[in-house]
Amino acid sequence: MTSKLRYGFIGCGMMGQEHLRNLAMIKGAMVVAIFEPDAAMKKLAASFAPEAIFATNFDALLARTDIDAWVITSPNHCHAEQLAAIVAKNPKPVLLEKPACVDLAGVNALQAILDNASSNAYLPIWTAMEYRYMPPITKLIAEAHSAQYTGEAVMFSIREHRYPFLTKVGDWNRFSRNTGGTLVEKCCHFFDLMRHVMQADPIRVYASGGQNHNHLDEAYAGETPDILDNAYVVLDFANGRRALLDLCMFAEGSRYQEELCVVGAKGKLDCKVPGPGRFWPAELGDAPVAQLTVSQRHKTGADGWTNNPTITAVPLKTLDIPVDKALLAAGDHNGSTFYQHQKFFEMAKAYTAGDKNAKPEVSLADGLKAVLIGLAAEQSAKTGVAISLEEGAYAL
Ligand SMILES: NC(=O)c1ccc[n+]([C@@H]2O[C@H](COP(=O)([O-])OP(=O)(O)OC[C@H]3O[C@@H](n4cnc5c(N)ncnc54)[C@H](O)[C@@H]3O)[C@@H](O)[C@H]2O)c1
């Protein structure tokens, strides 16, 4: 190994370029090779990784002998096949953008990789789940896990009200067959967060969703997009704990893009997270700063926590959680791409140096569970029926 960790990139559109900009801030990392089929994206990617060589196709990239770590930022429907090829032909640590795959066949194919890993050499595969690494959400997770102010989390809601899906190269994100559907494509992040905050797997999902407004006036080769633009999704956990996703993608007027709320028997956490700064209207002044509020119920002496509805919760503290300006400028995700890369870099460096137990914080198994919950939620929204996550096709 040279002194730097050498990265190979697969696909360098909007998100791949965000990864390149963030990786450029990590000392000891360098991007040596990229496969990007689109000429315009290739040019942009070259401006962020001037030392990288562009491979003419995926197989040529895969054949390189100078790669220490892979980053997959191609469209969703390419992930499963490309990951399987890396594992078979040039196994090095992988950071795989979410979602890990787009359908049950993909889940089964990637599960086979995990099953084989127990008999073959272990390879760390990290599913990129940037929301875990946004500073306000990292703080929310830490407070929820400590349970100091809340007790065990009983309810966890995530409201995302934002702008419609952006235009992508070749418009791949307009069709569920390429994305997995909205509840897989973007909401796998939230289902991962729900598992992580609740520290448990959900047992059942029910979703109500529709495509009420967005992309209905668009056509691609005569076909209208088929992706949901709003939904409520309820996850049941064992022991009467539950989580709710409230998604609306025609709500770009929202001051905060995500509002997350964890409630336990003792108190609650409220977290507000702004969307990408580049979309904030300049005429409204400075973009909002992320906040976390911790509040508790009144204590009524030795008996514990009161149930008196006339007494309001006590806000203990509201913390502003600003994000470094350089990190905000390097991406659309509140600095999370940088923090995630820092951790992936340390893991890949340790693995390359011989620590064959170096483990990802978000595993491929975590990525597959997030996809399964998303696929089950899509199925529930289609059929109106709650779907088991304990048995049957979507069992976690
Ligand atoms: N974690 C997040 O918050 C987040 C945000 C945005 C996108 N993403 C994920 O990142 C991935 C890329 O999304 P994007 O927004 O950059 O889309 P994009 O369309 O901007 O970029 C995808 C790129 O992949 C290239 N490509 C197409 N076919 C390819 C192939 N077979 N092999 C390699 N490259 C190929 C395209 O030319 C394009 O440049 C998706 O999986 C998406 O879900 C994650």
Side-chain angles (χ1 to χ4, degrees):
M1 182 194 159
T2 60
S3 56
K4 291 204 169 191
L5 196 73
R6 299 161 302 178
Y7 286 70
F9 265 69
I10 299 136
C12 262
M14 189 202 83
M15 196 59 195
Q17 290 160 31
E18 175 167 328
H19 280 273
L20 291 178
R21 287 192 296 274
N22 282 278
L23 208 46
M25 291 188 276
I26 292 185
K27 266 197 189 141
M30 69 182 292
V31 179
V32 292
I34 297 174
F35 168 53
E36 167 49 61
D38 181 80
M41 290 298 152
K42 201 167 155 179
K43 202 168 160 197
L44 280 168
S47 71
F48 300 120
E51 292 169 353
I53 286 163
F54 281 83
T56 46
N57 56 49
F58 178 54
D59 287 340
L61 182 73
L62 212 53
R64 294 189 69 93
T65 54
D66 57 353
I67 307 290
D68 301 313
W70 296 105
V71 179
I72 300 181
T73 37
S74 54
N76 300 1
H77 57 292
C78 305
H79 293 178
E81 205 176 313
Q82 291 175 336
L83 178 63
I86 285 172
V87 171
K89 295 185 182 159
N90 198 344
K92 299 285 158 43
V94 187
L95 180 62
L96 170 68
E97 256 307 341
K98 50 51 58 178
C101 55
V102 298
D103 51 25
L104 287 175
V107 173
N108 292 335
L110 295 184
Q111 186 58 47
I113 290 179
L114 287 178
D115 296 343
N116 274 339
S118 40
S119 46
N120 295 337
Y122 163 72
L123 178 70
I125 301 170
W126 182 313
T127 310
M129 287 289 185
E130 281 79 6
Y131 276 81
R132 287 195 190 198
Y133 299 97
M134 293 183 181
I137 297 185
T138 304
K139 179 83 179 135
L140 174 98
I141 293 166
E143 293 292 0
H145 285 177
S146 94
Q148 182 187 355
Y149 299 111
T150 54
E152 182 189 52
V154 175
M155 300 176 75
F156 178 28
S157 66
I158 301 177
R159 179 163 94 172
E160 181 176 64
H161 284 190
R162 57 160 269 185
Y163 51 90
F165 280 115
L166 300 173
T167 302
K168 299 288 166 187
V169 177
D171 304 306
W172 63 268
N173 68 344
R174 291 310 196 245
F175 296 99
S176 293
R177 59 177 175 271
N178 299 329
T179 67
T182 301
L183 301 179
V184 173
E185 149 60 10
K186 68 177 327 312
C187 301
C188 63
H189 273 300
F190 303 130
F191 301 137
D192 174 67
L193 270 186
M194 288 171 182
R195 286 185 60 244
H196 190 42
V197 164
M198 304 300 258
Q199 295 177 283
D201 283 336
I203 58 173
R204 187 169 43 243
V205 58
Y206 172 74
S208 167
Q211 183 182 9
N212 292 47
H213 294 292
N214 295 352
H215 318 302
L216 290 168
D217 56 354
E218 300 172 12
Y220 302 89
E223 202 181 350
T224 305
D226 64 347
I227 44 178
L228 303 180
D229 60 20
N230 71 99
Y232 292 121
V233 182
V234 176
L235 299 190
D236 280 324
F237 290 79
N239 306 322
R241 303 163 72 218
R242 51 191 57 81
L244 168 74
L245 171 67
D246 162 357
L247 174 75
C248 181
M249 298 190 69
F250 43 88
E252 51 269 52
S254 309
R255 181 165 178 79
Y256 288 97
Q257 182 168 297
E258 281 94 18
E259 299 190 29
L260 299 86
C261 180
V262 175
V263 192
K266 283 164 58 175
K268 62 185 264 190
L269 309 167
D270 278 299
C271 183
K272 297 181 176 187
V273 183
R278 67 185 167 116
F279 298 144
W280 182 253
E283 65 272 23
L284 295 183
D286 290 343
V289 171
Q291 282 187 334
L292 179 70
T293 299
V294 180
S295 41
Q296 280 199 311
R297 302 168 76 192
H298 273 294
K299 214 170 181 179
T300 54
D303 296 87
W305 307 95
T306 182
N307 286 320
N308 184 341
T310 61
I311 299 174
T312 52
V314 191
L316 289 181
K317 53 182 177 183
T318 294
L319 304 172
D320 276 350
I321 307 184
V323 177
D324 185 294
K325 285 204 165 43
L327 299 189
L328 284 180
D332 285 341
H333 301 93
N334 286 283
S336 59
T337 307
F338 176 77
Y339 294 119
Q340 180 181 253
H341 263 299
Q342 263 186 333
K343 295 196 165 194
F344 176 80
F345 171 78
E346 290 304 332
M347 181 206 71
K349 201 171 70 169
Y351 180 85
T352 309
D355 176 3
K356 297 304 173 201
N357 290 318
K359 292 267 184 309
E361 282 189 6
V362 191
S363 65
L364 178 57
D366 290 322
L368 293 181
K369 287 184 178 188
V371 169
L372 274 170
I373 299 168
L375 288 171
E378 286 276 335
Q379 180 67 5
S380 177
K382 269 189 206 108
T383 58
V385 174
I387 308 251
S388 171
L389 298 170
E390 291 186 297
E391 55 186 16
Y394 303 96
L396 301 182

